Amino acid sequence: MAGGTDEVLAALRERVPAGALLTDPDSTGRYAHDEAEWAPFGKPLAVVRPDGTEQVAAVVRVCAEHGVPVVPRGAGTGLSGGANAVDGCVVLSFEAMNSVLEINPREQLAVVQPGVVNDDLRAACREHGAWYPPDPASSPWSTIGGNVGTNAGGVCCVKYGVTRDYVLGLEAVVGDGEVVRLGRRTAKGVAGYDLCGLFVGSEGTLGVITEITVKLLPGQRAPERTVVGYFDSLVEAGEAVAAVAAAGIVPSALELLDRHCLEAVDAWKNMGLSAEANVLLLGRCDTPGAAGEQEVDALLRCFDQAGATWSARSTDEHEADALFAARRLAYPALERLGPVLTEDVCVPRAAVPGMLARIEAAARRHDTLIANIAHAGDGNLHPLIITEPGDDAARERAQRAFDDIVADALALGGTVTGEHGVGLLKRAGLHAELGPAVVGMHHAVKDALDPRGIFNPGKVFGDPAS
C-alpha cells in the first residue's frame, strides 16, 4: 500500500460523505463475506456505500493511487466467495444505488443501478407490460449488479437463458477511475470487441459496474402448467431429464430436489413434501394453447418412461407455486443443518444420470451427506455437502468429495460452474478446465484492464493454493 492506512482513510473522507463511509470493525464486519461459508475472507479497511457513479470513481481513484484492493458487493447472496473481502481492502456496497432509471417497453430495455433487487426489477417491468426473465433462486434478495457479476442463471434459464443473454450495455469504472460505457441500446450492433459481454461474469475483477442496460421481452409471460414426478432414485430422475432433452422438449423449468432437501424443507416449514418421494422433479411449460398441452403430455411420458412412481399435471395453482417455493427454500433449509459447501457443476443433459450417480458414489466414498438440488433441465447440478459444525474430520472428507465432483463433471464434458461463479471456491477447478494457455489469456486481459491489480484481487484466476 503506497502510503499508510491513515492517509488512505483521510483521502476517502475527503471524497465520500460521512454517512456513506464505514470504518468501525463492528460495522464493516457484516460486509466481509458472502454466503459461501467455506470461503476465506479478510478484514476490510473500509466499506463505502456510494450513491452514484461519481462517488465510485472517486473511491477507485484513491484506491488506485494507494494500491488498495477494491471489492464490489451486491446483496452478499453469492455462493462462491466472490464478494469476500481481502485484508485492507475497500468494499464497495451498492445498497444505496438501487434505482430503476428507465423502463422503455417500446425499445424493450430497462436501465438500472447495480443495487436494484432482481424481483423488484421484474415487478417494475410487469407494470409496463414487459418481462425480465433471469430468475436466480435468490431473486427476492439478490441484486442485478451481483447477477451480472456472476452471470447468474435461474429456474427459467433452461428456456430463456442466463443474465448475459439480457445485458445490452454497461457503465463501469475501470483503471485509475475512468468511467466508460460498453455495449449498446440498439437491438443489434457489432462495433468492436464485445467488452460488455466480457464484463458479465467477470466477478468484479476487471472494474466496477455502476449501471446496467438490460433487454426485456415484450408482453406478459404466458401462464405456466406444472408437472410433478416422484422417483425412487436420483439416477431414474436423471434419466427423465435426459429423456426430456432427447425428445426436444424445452420446458420453462425443470427442477430436481432429493429426499435430503425435501426433509429439510419439511422440518423447517412442515410442508409434507418428503412423505411420498425420494426425488421430486418439477417441470413447467409456458407455451400457450394446444402446443403447451402437448408439451405437458410429452413431459409426463418422459417421466413415466424413466420410472416415475407417480406423475401428474398439477390442477391447483397454489399447490404448484408452493412446490416451486419449496425449491427456493431448499438451500436455506439445508443451512440449518450445518455448514454447506455448495457445488455448481454443469454437464451435458445426456450426462445428468451419470453425474448424479457419481455424486452418490462420492457421498458414499467420503462418508459425507450430500443433498441435491438442480436446474436439471440444462444440466446444472447443485450438490450441497453438509457437515456438522466443528467436525474437522467431516470437513476434510467434504472437501475431498467436492474435489471429486468437480473432476467428475469435467470428465463428463462439463464445467465447474454453471451460474454461481468461480470466486474463491472453484479456482483449482477453473485451472483444470481451461488449461495454462487459456488461463494465460485471461491473465493478459486482466492485466490490460486492471494494470494496478486492485479489482477483486485473488478471485477467479488467483492462485488456487492461496
Side-chain angles (χ1 to χ4, degrees), residues 2 32 36-37 60 81 139 141 152-153 181 217 221 225 252 286 297 324 328 341 348 371 394 414 428 444 461:
E37 298 181 68
V60 170
S139 63
W141 315 283
R181 286 194 171 271
L217 295 186
R221 188 179 185 185
R225 304 166 177 87
S252 55
D286 64 358
D297 292 339
F324 274 86
R328 295 184 185 275
L341 180 57
F461 288 100

Side-chain angles (χ1 to χ4, degrees), residues 24 70 75 78 102 107 111 230 239 249 299 342 410 424 452:
D24 181 82
V70 177
E102 177 186 357
E107 296 297 332
V111 182
Y230 292 168
E239 294 287 359
I249 304 165
L299 271 181
T342 305
L410 294 179
L424 293 170
R452 298 182 186 271

Side-chain angles (χ1 to χ4, degrees), residues 344-348 355 375 378-381 409-410 413-419:
D344 174 38
V345 295
C346 190
V347 297
M355 188 64 215
H375 302 309
D378 52 17
N380 191 186
L381 311 181
L410 294 179
T415 178
V416 301
T417 176
E419 61 182 5

Side-chain angles (χ1 to χ4, degrees), residues 9-10 66 74 93 102 182 189 194 207 227 241 248 265 284 303 309 362 375 383 393 404 415:
L9 291 176
H66 295 279
S93 172
E102 177 186 357
L182 309 172
D194 184 11
V227 174
V241 172
V265 172
R284 274 187 161 167
F303 286 13
T309 58
H375 302 309
D404 283 358
T415 178

Side-chain angles (χ1 to χ4, degrees), residues 217-284:
L217 295 186
Q220 297 295 334
R221 188 179 185 185
E224 292 183 291
R225 304 166 177 87
T226 300
V227 174
V228 183
Y230 292 168
F231 295 83
D232 280 338
S233 74
L234 277 172
V235 172
E236 288 174 330
E239 294 287 359
V241 172
V244 170
I249 304 165
V250 185
S252 55
L254 186 57
E255 299 290 298
L256 178 150
L257 297 91
D258 73 3
R259 171 165 288 279
H260 299 303
C261 299
L262 299 174
E263 288 177 344
V265 172
D266 283 348
W268 186 22
K269 298 295 184 180
N270 194 31
M271 297 178 70
L273 297 172
S274 60
E276 302 294 337
N278 286 322
V279 184
L280 180 66
L281 267 186
L282 298 173
R284 274 187 161 167

Side-chain angles (χ1 to χ4, degrees), residues 422-432 458-466:
V422 175
L424 293 170
L425 295 180
K426 291 295 184 72
R427 292 178 298 179
L430 186 71
H431 281 253
K459 312 295 172 55
V460 187
F461 288 100
D463 181 1
S466 64

Side-chain angles (χ1 to χ4, degrees), residues 87-163:
D87 286 336
C89 75
V90 171
V91 173
L92 278 170
S93 172
F94 287 96
E95 60 201 279
M97 291 178 64
N98 59 2
S99 295
V100 177
L101 303 175
E102 177 186 357
I103 296 177
N104 189 328
R106 176 173 294 180
E107 296 297 332
Q108 297 175 21
L109 61 82
V111 182
V112 303
Q113 292 183 311
V116 172
V117 171
N118 183 293
D119 273 4
D120 290 346
L121 173 60
R122 289 160 66 89
C125 290
R126 280 196 298 272
E127 293 180 3
H128 290 78
W131 179 38
Y132 176 67
D135 64 337
S138 59
S139 63
W141 315 283
S142 64
T143 60
I144 300 299
N147 294 168
V148 172
T150 60
N151 193 19
V155 172
C156 76
C157 66
V158 59
K159 183 171 184 178
Y160 292 101
V162 295
T163 300

